[in-house]
Amino acid sequence: FKKPDEDILLVNSDIIAPNSNWIDRMYDLARSNDVIGTVTPLSNKATIFSFPIPNVEQERLQGLSTTEQDNLFVDALSDEPRHLIEAPTCHGFCALLLTTRIGEAILFDPQYGKGYGEENDLSMRIRDKGFINAACPNVFVYHHESVSFSQEKHAFIKKNLEILGESHPDYHQLVHAFIELDPLRQSRNKIMRRYFQERLSPKESTVQISHFRGGGTDKYVRESINIRVNQSHFALRPDPTKPGMVQLSAICRNTGKVAFNECILLTEHEFLDESPRLFEDFHVSEVVIHSLIDYLPFGNVGKAWGTISQYTKLTTVIHDYHWVSQNEDLLDRKGVFRKNPPPTSCSDIAMISQYPPSNHNSILARTPSEHSLCFFEVLERSASVIAPSDSARLVLLKYAGQARSFKIHTAYHDNSGISRNFLNSCNRPPFKRVGGIAHVIVIGAIGPNKGIDLLCDLCRHINARSLPIKIHIIGHTSSDEILQSHGESVVISGKYTEKELLGLLRASKGKCALFLSPWPETYSYTLSIAFENNIWPIAINLGAPGERIAKAGYGSLLEAPTVDAITRKILEIHPE
């Protein structure tokens, strides 16, 4: 149906176009350079053209319609000088094909058949003729994705990618190079900065610097921002797919969860260099550093991140010991806690080098003392350094040794274990056995740092001696198969949501819970769960769990964490 003087606008059946002059803008770009053969806008689900995170399927920005998001693109990039962004391919969800330039004879190759790969093949043949595929960053078109051939998608993709690779051997290399270079990042970031500025109230905001590992740190961040309801909040975390990149994301105040699809992507150096302008634009009154684990080990990390204190208030919250040790849990390669820090002159890091690089859980320096000094400037420049327990504070100061020149105070994460009035009204031993069995709970994700080896030995001991004890693991472990081999004496629930937790605890019939971490934990939210649910804790007298139980006067502490001591204590509080 196309006439010779017409071009083609190819769109999928599952797009929503903005109610604007978006086609004119694509044509404006096409007319700016005679070598342009195709033009592709940005979208929420369009692989390398995805916004704001490339190669991620996401939705529109919160609170915006397709037209409003497109208008945001126009406004944010209105003063940006036009520069041609060449892509390795167009994207078939929405592409302007300049057939009046490239000619009609090189349109889709029928060998690709139904769906996928045909526009990539076309793009490569356009390149061979001397034309380019251009990205159009000032247009947004919504894409639902996977409607046309949803049931057969993976089979089509696999077959057609093989054909594409055979026809154009350099295609995948070109795409990979585009992803690494990410020439659309600057435009995406300008759009997101405008979006954040428009949505922010004139009130203050905070930036929470942390990692992507979740756990207690993530819980603390969520709970702390819900207290500051009159502020806007951002999270800065390492990009899990690109070392050296960080994501500056919005945090939803009503849920405390990070909005993954609302972020600015920066290198760590860019964030540090641009922080004065960013803090001014977003009214940042405080930066809270929770962790620098998984950030790059460039130069003096502490000095670099400590410069933030020049532009706003800097607070550091201690969640582990990576500030003073190459291992954040202070465990050596045998999983044993080192009560005394290594000598400051020690240059032997065999403890760490035993592990392959992919398993390193900290930023490494050349020696333990250098590692510590690497981070001290953050602590020294912080207006406040907060430890979640006295135990954590004292361990940190002990490991810091003579190098410390910072003040640190204790602030418990929550009130559990502090209110004696509440805990005095809770259930206390002795507990009745249920059907002659003492039911015992273990809460959370249990790995080496949570005492998995001791737990496996304990369950083996219970099973071998047919002791009347049943272990209920509310969560999962790194040794599920080993534990399940001990028959009915062990039950593992698997991963759970917060909504499911209370039901799982009640179903277990357990009145006590074990805490077997071999290192001095800084806090322990699972202990809070036990306190809040009237569950009697049995813990190794080490770190925050030992301190909190002693202060609360609620729970049993073990000085010798052996399987005999643990089983004796369980049966002692569950008499026949």
Side-chain angles (χ1 to χ4, degrees):
F1 298 98
K2 192 190 79 65
K3 297 176 184 178
D5 63 343
E6 293 176 336
D7 294 314
I8 293 173
L9 179 67
L10 176 72
V11 296
N12 277 11
S13 60
D14 58 347
I15 71 157
I16 299 176
N19 183 15
S20 67
N21 64 340
W22 63 285
I23 299 177
D24 292 336
R25 274 175 270 142
M26 291 175 69
Y27 250 117
D28 286 343
L29 175 60
R31 294 189 184 107
S32 69
N33 197 314
D34 291 339
V35 301
I36 294 176
T38 71
V39 178
T40 302
L42 302 192
S43 185
N44 55 302
K45 299 177 184 177
T47 59
I48 60 175
F49 301 96
S50 292
F51 172 90
I53 307 177
N55 299 297
V56 171
E57 294 190 355
Q58 51 227 303
E59 287 301 316
R60 287 181 292 257
L61 297 174
Q62 291 186 52
L64 298 186
S65 65
T66 297
T67 299
E68 289 169 335
Q69 187 155 326
D70 180 62
N71 290 338
L72 172 68
F73 280 36
V74 175
D75 293 341
L77 301 179
S78 60
D79 60 347
E80 184 173 279
R82 175 172 287 164
H83 58 280
L84 193 57
I85 299 176
E86 182 177 358
T89 178
C90 68
H91 194 297
F93 90 99
C94 178
L96 177 62
L97 310 179
L98 282 302
T99 51
T100 53
R101 289 180 186 168
I102 62 179
E104 299 175 24
I106 63 167
L107 290 182
F108 293 151
D109 186 335
Q111 74 168 318
Y112 288 90
K114 186 179 175 184
Y116 302 107
E118 68 277 7
E119 81 269 32
N120 310 116
D121 170 75
L122 170 63
S123 298
M124 293 299 291
R125 289 186 282 117
I126 287 173
R127 286 172 55 89
D128 292 342
K129 289 191 66 173
F131 294 98
I132 69 171
N133 304 288
C136 187
N138 68 338
V139 173
F140 174 80
V141 176
Y142 178 81
H143 186 205
H144 186 281
E145 178 71 291
S146 302
V147 169
S148 303
F149 315 111
S150 56
Q151 299 300 318
E152 306 154 294
K153 175 178 178 178
H154 296 296
F156 279 133
I157 290 177
K158 184 176 184 296
K159 176 179 73 72
N160 288 353
L161 281 180
E162 290 175 357
I163 297 173
L164 186 64
E166 292 172 359
S167 302
H168 308 285
D170 58 341
Y171 171 76
H172 296 295
Q173 182 179 350
L174 288 169
V175 172
H176 179 74
F178 183 86
I179 292 171
E180 287 299 307
L181 185 61
D182 195 8
L184 285 165
R185 182 164 65 90
Q186 181 179 347
S187 297
R188 294 195 312 266
N189 285 350
K190 287 192 71 171
I191 296 166
M192 284 306 304
R193 286 175 82 146
R194 176 65 65 88
Y195 171 71
F196 285 147
Q197 286 178 284
E198 290 182 354
R199 286 174 61 90
L200 287 175
S201 68
K203 297 179 181 178
E204 299 174 342
S205 66
T206 62
V207 176
Q208 312 278 342
I209 298 179
S210 186
H211 50 62
F212 241 114
R213 301 185 182 193
T217 304
D218 184 63
K219 180 178 175 64
Y220 176 85
V221 171
R222 284 189 280 115
E223 292 182 349
S224 64
I225 69 166
N226 283 331
I227 297 172
R228 306 181 184 190
V229 294
N230 294 322
Q231 292 183 331
S232 298
H233 300 274
F234 295 92
L236 185 83
R237 301 184 299 178
D239 188 312
T241 63
K242 282 189 172 184
M245 298 294 294
V246 292
Q247 295 183 4
L248 181 64
S249 309
I251 303 178
C252 303
R253 275 179 288 183
N254 56 337
T255 64
K257 293 183 179 179
V258 175
F260 291 103
N261 69 319
E262 297 188 3
C263 74
I264 296 172
L265 285 175
L266 301 159
T267 68
E268 293 179 27
H269 293 286
E270 285 172 343
F271 173 79
L272 291 169
D273 291 342
E274 295 181 27
S275 55
R277 174 72 183 278
L278 282 168
F279 295 167
E280 181 180 351
D281 288 348
F282 300 158
H283 317 296
V284 175
S285 61
E286 183 179 13
V287 171
V288 184
I289 298 184
H290 301 274
S291 177
L292 291 176
I293 287 177
D294 298 332
Y295 290 80
L296 284 182
F298 57 83
N300 189 327
V301 177
K303 184 174 183 179
W305 289 95
T307 58
I308 290 173
S309 63
Q310 299 175 27
Y311 317 116
T312 188
K313 178 184 177 183
L314 179 62
T315 299
T316 300
V317 180
I318 305 301
H319 296 276
D320 54 52
Y321 300 109
H322 83 274
W323 301 99
V324 291
S325 172
Q326 293 162 316
N327 266 2
E328 67 264 27
D329 53 18
L330 305 180
L331 297 176
D332 65 16
R333 60 190 177 89
K334 296 181 180 180
V336 177
F337 166 52
R338 290 186 171 190
K339 293 184 178 181
N340 295 309
T344 55
S345 61
C346 176
S347 61
D348 177 18
I349 60 169
M351 174 181 77
I352 297 297
S353 61
Q354 297 284 338
Y355 300 99
S358 61
N359 290 337
H360 283 167
N361 292 329
S362 59
I363 303 172
L364 300 182
R366 286 171 296 179
T367 70
S369 59
E370 287 170 341
H371 176 93
S372 299
L373 291 170
C374 190
F375 295 100
F376 279 170
E377 288 205 43
V378 172
L379 303 177
E380 290 170 349
R381 295 190 183 201
S382 296
S384 179
V385 179
I386 302 170
S389 62
D390 285 332
S391 167
R393 179 175 61 82
L394 294 173
V395 170
L396 190 80
L397 291 175
K398 183 176 182 179
Y399 267 70
Q402 295 178 347
R404 68 175 184 265
S405 58
F406 55 89
K407 293 182 179 179
I408 180 170
H409 68 276
T410 299
Y412 288 91
H413 286 344
D414 59 30
N415 291 324
S416 66
I418 297 175
S419 174
R420 285 181 175 270
N421 290 335
F422 166 72
L423 290 172
N424 284 337
S425 66
C426 293
N427 294 329
R428 291 173 175 272
F431 299 120
K432 292 182 180 180
R433 299 183 187 181
V434 179
I437 302 294
H439 293 265
V440 181
I441 300 169
V442 177
I443 309 169
I446 311 300
N449 67 328
K450 293 289 184 178
I452 186 61
D453 292 338
L454 181 56
L455 180 61
C456 286
D457 289 344
L458 175 67
C459 293
R460 188 180 302 112
H461 180 82
I462 291 170
N463 186 54
R465 288 161 178 75
S466 300
L467 297 176
I469 300 172
K470 189 166 189 175
I471 303 295
H472 298 261
I473 299 170
I474 311 299
H476 62 102
T477 79
S478 59
S479 302
D480 280 359
E481 290 186 10
I482 294 174
L483 291 168
Q484 287 169 336
S485 69
H486 298 308
E488 296 182 356
S489 61
V490 181
V491 177
I492 303 174
S493 73
K495 294 181 180 180
Y496 59 84
T497 64
E498 288 189 18
K499 291 182 179 179
E500 296 170 329
L501 178 58
L502 184 57
L504 291 169
L505 292 173
R506 288 174 176 170
S508 73
K509 304 175 185 177
K511 300 297 183 182
C512 70
L514 292 176
F515 298 88
L516 305 177
S517 294
W519 66 289
E521 286 198 66
T522 57
Y523 193 67
S524 179
Y525 275 113
T526 51
L527 178 60
S528 297
I529 291 171
F531 282 150
E532 291 161 2
N533 290 277
N534 300 353
I535 298 170
W536 184 263
I538 302 173
I540 299 171
N541 192 8
L542 182 66
E547 173 191 334
R548 295 176 64 199
I549 289 171
K551 281 181 176 290
Y554 186 82
S556 301
L557 293 175
L558 301 170
E559 301 299 334
T562 64
V563 292
D564 282 325
I566 296 168
T567 53
R568 280 199 306 270
K569 179 57 66 175
I570 292 171
L571 296 177
E572 175 188 317
I573 65 175
H574 293 84
E576 292 185 73

